[in-house]
Amino acid sequence: MNKVSKIFQPLLITPKNAKITHTELTSKSQKLMLEMGLIRSGSNGMFHLMPLLQKSVEKCISLIDESMGEIGGQKMTMPTLTPSELWKKSGRYDTAATELLKVIDRHGKESVLSPTHEEAITALLATISPVSYRSLPLLLYQITPKFRDELKPRFGLLRTKEFLMKDLYTFDTTLDKAKETYDIVNGSYEKLFHKLNVPFCKVSGDTGIMGGSLSHEYHFPAAIGEDSLLTCGKCSYSCNAELSKDSKNCPKCSSSDFRTTQGIEIAHSFVLEDKYTKSLKATYLMSNGKPSPLIMGCYGIGVTRLVAAALEVLSSENELRWPYKLAPFNICLVPPKSGSKEETPEVKNLCEMLEREINNFAGKNFLVDDRTTFTIGKRLLEAKRMGYPFIIVVGEKSNSEKPLLEFHDLMENDKKMLEPNELLTHLKAKIKSFES
């Protein structure tokens, strides 16, 4: 059974009378994750993910793996270092130069700490080329650390030098087929983001240094978002402001009903055509037996950024709030304080029954705050700050002929007093509604 006392969660406590002479520009998510022991800074733009946040990230990875599996994605792992020579062949070595972190080995060979792996995956396909048209489309993805030499890392996990990313690379025979795959992957993305119940928007994006002919971005709207998003009230066209030279009129229908919002980019998709496959000689064998460049697409989801962005959108200034499917634990039980009037033999039996029953159907998502030297109030306050979706308090009304339990539903911002069996039934129904 999971117990709070056994979790490595170094809270960052600022003394009440402390004088803060310098405050870094932070986001809600950064401030709360630091205070609640979810992250610790390693160096500028680098963070340690502590055990509770790691659980959330692993849940996010599981959701992504499930989504990729549903569309035929095959998971693999590519080397973190990519030879600089490949980046020179693709033409990106110079265009992305300011953001590339580079390593030179003892033999003087230079490699790039990859921010993305288009060159690496295409070079791999080139060594196998030509592949048969019968084996396409091919969808290969990985979830690995990526590196970017950010000029000004900020907002905690929202803009870092090292981050976890899911990158999917697709290979097709023709542009039309690549666009069909593009629609399938984007459909999978939309389904995934709907599962999180965080408001998101899909907008046309700039292909930038990635290249290609088609691009869409996914954003969580947020005041601190660094991207300006334009949406037309007449035709519903949406795009990143980078695509519009005139931010007052819609580039599609010329309407002046064009609204601007800020967003945090969490995912990006591209049809790359043969930008990489042609220069790196990755081909497939057509039905007539002749080789032709593979047509490529790439699709990224910032995993650590997605978790942090969801917290940024859902949390208050003082309390974390998680998407249900990403919460480190979904249920937290707060038993009475040791030696208190509530701690009777009957209440102890009640707590044991609750632990046993909830553990049977919630298991790894169930947490008991066993630090019974602390008051119920202190532990409840901490559980609320951590944002566990459902909190059960065995308090003063539990010590009666007809015991009542406090049920705090943070997803609905609601509190109920329920009898034990009633609570278990209600909790099971709640879990089923979120997990269906």
Side-chain angles (χ1 to χ4, degrees):
M1 191 172 298
N2 302 297
K3 298 183 178 181
V4 172
S5 66
K6 301 299 182 184
I7 295 173
F8 183 49
Q9 185 185 5
L11 303 181
L12 192 64
I13 299 170
T14 305
K16 288 182 180 179
N17 299 323
K19 292 183 179 179
I20 302 172
T21 56
H22 170 72
T23 55
E24 180 191 359
L25 181 63
T26 61
S27 59
K28 277 189 298 185
S29 56
Q30 179 180 5
K31 173 180 173 289
L32 288 169
M33 283 194 286
L34 282 168
E35 290 176 353
M36 298 310 296
L38 301 183
I39 58 173
R40 277 295 173 98
S41 178
S43 61
N44 187 29
M46 307 278 197
F47 288 90
H48 301 282
L49 305 189
M50 308 308 275
L52 284 169
L53 188 65
Q54 185 65 35
K55 278 182 65 67
S56 177
V57 167
E58 286 171 2
K59 284 188 173 186
C60 189
I61 289 171
S62 293
L63 287 173
I64 292 171
D65 284 338
E66 183 182 324
S67 295
M68 293 296 97
E70 287 173 354
I71 60 171
Q74 300 180 66
K75 196 172 188 179
M76 61 181 294
T77 300
M78 287 173 259
T80 298
L81 293 173
T82 302
S84 295
E85 194 59 38
L86 293 179
W87 281 72
K88 289 174 182 176
K89 283 184 180 179
S90 72
R92 287 207 299 176
Y93 185 82
D94 293 324
T95 55
T98 57
E99 292 188 350
L100 294 181
L101 284 164
K102 302 163 189 173
V103 174
I104 298 176
D105 67 17
R106 68 186 70 191
H107 306 294
K109 286 203 162 191
E110 185 186 78
S111 296
V112 170
L113 275 167
S114 303
T116 182
H117 280 76
E118 283 75 17
E119 285 80 3
I121 190 69
T122 309
L124 171 66
L125 266 290
T127 65
I128 304 166
S129 291
V131 298
S132 169
Y133 71 92
R134 291 188 181 91
S135 64
L136 303 174
L138 193 58
L139 290 79
L140 301 171
Y141 81 99
Q142 63 174 353
I143 300 177
T144 58
K146 307 296 190 294
F147 300 85
R148 188 168 291 143
D149 190 11
E150 287 286 355
L151 181 63
K152 291 182 179 179
R154 53 201 175 275
F155 301 143
L157 298 183
L158 296 180
R159 186 162 290 280
T160 57
K161 289 187 175 182
E162 180 179 354
F163 50 96
L164 193 66
M165 188 170 85
K166 188 282 300 183
D167 41 328
L168 165 72
Y169 304 96
T170 63
F171 298 90
D172 280 277
T173 54
T174 66
L175 181 57
D176 285 342
K177 290 289 185 184
K179 287 180 178 178
E180 287 177 17
T181 300
Y182 186 81
D183 289 340
I184 290 169
V185 177
N186 278 284
S188 174
Y189 273 22
E190 290 171 39
K191 183 179 175 183
L192 170 65
F193 299 141
H194 278 302
K195 285 181 181 178
L196 298 179
N197 287 318
V198 181
F200 74 92
C201 57
K202 176 185 176 184
V203 303
S204 295
D206 185 4
T207 56
I209 63 169
M210 297 292 287
S213 58
L214 183 62
S215 172
H216 283 90
E217 302 169 0
Y218 294 85
H219 292 260
F220 286 162
I224 69 160
E226 296 182 288
D227 286 279
S228 294
L229 313 176
L230 306 175
T231 303
C232 178
K234 184 177 180 181
C235 71
S236 298
Y237 172 78
S238 295
C239 68
N240 191 307
E242 294 172 342
L243 279 183
S244 178
K245 294 178 181 178
D246 178 9
S247 62
K248 294 180 180 179
N249 293 92
C250 175
K252 194 171 182 181
C253 72
S254 299
S255 169
S256 59
D257 184 11
F258 215 30
R259 298 182 300 277
T260 304
T261 57
Q262 299 303 117
I264 302 170
E265 184 185 329
I266 52 169
H268 209 150
S269 54
F270 299 86
V271 172
L272 300 172
E273 300 191 16
D274 61 2
K275 172 180 167 62
Y276 299 89
T277 55
K278 203 167 185 180
S279 59
L280 295 170
K281 298 180 171 54
T283 61
Y284 76 97
L285 213 56
M286 295 188 290
S287 57
N288 63 8
K290 294 182 179 180
S292 181
L294 287 157
I295 305 301
M296 190 175 173
C298 71
Y299 310 82
I301 295 178
V303 181
T304 41
R305 179 186 278 193
L306 171 62
V307 175
L311 290 173
E312 185 68 34
V313 171
L314 299 178
S315 301
S316 68
E317 290 295 330
N318 297 308
E319 295 183 346
L320 289 166
R321 289 295 180 269
W322 303 83
Y324 177 86
K325 289 183 179 292
L326 298 186
F329 294 98
N330 299 117
I331 306 160
C332 181
L333 176 67
V334 181
K337 181 183 179 183
S338 294
S340 67
K341 63 182 181 180
E342 290 89 4
E343 197 190 36
T344 64
E346 291 77 16
V347 171
K348 281 186 177 180
N349 289 336
L350 173 59
C351 287
E352 288 174 4
M353 182 276 288
L354 288 171
E355 289 181 15
R356 184 174 61 252
E357 292 295 322
I358 297 172
N359 196 57
N360 282 341
F361 63 80
K364 63 184 181 181
N365 287 315
F366 175 43
L367 179 67
V368 178
D369 194 337
D370 60 328
R371 300 170 302 161
T372 53
T373 54
F374 296 147
T375 64
I376 284 176
K378 177 180 172 60
R379 285 176 288 151
L380 175 59
L381 180 66
E382 201 170 292
K384 282 185 172 181
R385 288 206 77 203
M386 263 302 300
Y388 298 123
F390 306 126
I391 305 167
I392 302 161
V393 177
V394 185
E396 59 180 352
K397 292 189 178 180
S398 305
N399 185 17
S400 62
E401 190 176 332
K402 287 187 177 180
L404 291 174
L405 304 164
E406 289 180 32
F407 182 74
H408 297 261
D409 183 345
L410 301 194
M411 307 301 289
E412 301 286 346
N413 194 27
D414 184 40
K415 174 188 169 184
K416 286 182 170 67
M417 300 301 297
L418 302 171
E419 293 179 8
N421 287 334
E422 188 183 11
L423 180 139
L424 291 171
T425 301
H426 184 69
L427 183 57
K428 286 177 185 177
K430 278 284 181 181
I431 290 173
K432 187 176 180 181
S433 71
F434 279 103
E435 293 183 351
S436 59

